[in-house]
Amino acid sequence: MRALVTRLDSFGDVLLAGPAVRAVAARADHVALLCSPRGAPAARLLPGVDEVLVWDAPWGGFDPPPVDRADLDALVERIDADTALVLTSFHQSPLPTALVLRLAGVGYIAADCADYPGSLLDLRHQRAEHAHEAEAALELAAAAGFPSPDDGRLRVTDPPAASDLTGAGPYVVLHPGASVPARAWSPARCAEAVRELAAAGHRVLVTGGPGERELTAHVAGAHGTDLGGRTEAPQLAAVLAGADAVVTGNTAPAHLAAAVGTPVVSLFAPVVPAERWGPHGVPHVLLGDQYAPCAGSRARDCPVPGHPCLDTVTATDVVAAVDKLLGER
């Protein structure tokens, strides 16, 4: 059987698809993962993936491309699968992707879907209302005939050694960036947390992407080690795997930390629900006002002056959360 799993969102979303991918891989001869350019680095870390197909869908992402008939035709020609799972977030429709898969000749297509699917789906599954994204994907896989072969936790392939980046001795990672501003703790609070964590005896590494070097340099200051722009996905996985704890918002490194088994202090803005998007399968402490006025808004920019859901969290709160996780570990 040739199977296809689709997840056309970002890096973290693809990581959350990992347990479902493993479930499919346990019964399929070949598993392809169709993902966006932003999700591709995560797709290449997932156990069970034989082939990564990268496509920028006109119905996904923060800046979707225009519809291009030639591009769509090229994708249809690339797809070679007997069966497919279309994984989406709880608020997204799987039907545009299902139409593409039908055009590609996929014989059996399963998805969570609230809308009437016509002939586009063979299995129209209803997800549990409050299910975590990773668990919802696993439930869909099971309904399609792919029960989970393991504990269902997030996983990635073994990361490379990272001692050249981390140095010797224990450390805590603080990742100040986020995919959208509404989910980020303020740079000033992050810098204060680095200082207080260092004062409490922790060595602090600050991570970020190539476009966040100014942010990571500011946050690291004189008390942390700045790794901004120095970690591609495999190296970041290695750095997070070696950490005692990771402090981050609701963004990809929270899920990558969970995938390597590292506890997470989650600075979680409630613009999306933590029950669906919080760190999965690892010890974690959730910080942030989950009942703030922005709750459930899916806002990209904070709609409330002062960003109170996160900026009421103090550096002292973060130090206490790190110490709590270390004590439990």
Side-chain angles (χ1 to χ4, degrees):
M1 178 200 307
R2 294 181 66 87
L4 176 76
V5 179
T6 75
R7 184 78 209 214
L8 293 170
D9 300 289
S10 63
F11 188 106
D13 301 305
V14 171
L15 289 177
L16 293 175
V21 169
R22 297 198 307 273
V24 173
R27 297 204 170 195
D29 301 309
H30 181 276
V31 178
L33 180 56
L34 175 62
C35 62
S36 72
R38 293 170 296 122
R44 296 187 178 104
L45 296 178
L46 293 184
V49 175
D50 299 302
E51 180 184 8
V52 177
L53 301 177
V54 182
W55 186 59
D56 201 1
W59 52 84
F62 299 138
D63 186 22
V67 175
D68 184 310
R69 175 64 179 270
D71 182 51
L72 186 59
D73 288 344
L75 175 66
V76 167
E77 289 300 317
R78 292 172 65 196
I79 293 172
D80 179 14
D82 310 304
T83 188
L85 298 186
V86 181
L87 303 182
T88 57
S89 295
F90 69 97
H91 60 278
Q92 296 171 329
S93 171
L95 297 183
T97 304
L99 176 59
V100 173
L101 300 184
R102 278 287 188 246
L103 292 172
V106 179
Y108 180 88
I109 303 172
D112 288 322
C113 188
D115 301 316
Y116 173 64
S119 61
L120 297 181
L121 297 179
D122 299 284
L123 174 63
R124 179 194 182 194
H125 186 257
Q126 299 294 319
R127 71 162 63 196
E129 183 178 358
H130 300 290
H132 192 280
E133 289 291 305
E135 293 169 353
L138 264 180
E139 289 168 3
L140 172 63
F146 301 102
S148 178
D150 53 46
D151 60 9
R153 294 177 66 170
L154 306 188
R155 289 200 181 100
V156 293
T157 53
D158 290 338
S163 56
D164 57 327
L165 292 169
T166 65
Y171 59 89
V172 170
V173 169
L174 190 147
H175 186 91
S179 55
V180 295
R183 301 182 191 178
W185 207 26
S186 71
R189 286 289 199 206
C190 291
E192 183 182 1
V194 170
R195 293 193 296 271
E196 290 206 17
L197 284 165
H202 300 288
R203 193 162 62 92
V204 187
L205 310 186
V206 181
T207 57
E212 297 174 319
R213 287 174 175 160
E214 184 176 345
L215 171 64
T216 58
H218 169 74
V219 169
H223 301 277
T225 299
D226 179 15
L227 297 183
R230 298 175 60 190
T231 54
E232 297 294 335
Q235 291 76 34
L236 181 58
V239 170
L240 300 181
D244 288 334
V246 175
V247 180
T248 185
N250 175 26
T251 194
H255 304 306
L256 189 54
V260 295
T262 301
V264 179
V265 176
S266 177
L267 294 150
F268 201 98
V271 290
V272 294
E275 66 182 0
R276 292 190 176 113
W277 295 100
H280 182 66
V282 292
H284 63 276
V285 175
L286 198 71
L287 298 178
D289 181 3
Q290 300 305 297
Y291 302 97
C294 64
S297 66
R298 300 205 296 268
R300 297 179 186 176
D301 294 292
C302 182
V304 183
H307 202 19
C309 68
L310 285 186
D311 275 5
T312 51
V313 178
T314 68
T316 302
D317 295 329
V318 167
V319 174
V322 168
D323 289 343
K324 179 179 186 295
L325 289 173
L326 295 187
E328 293 174 351
R329 196 174 193 183

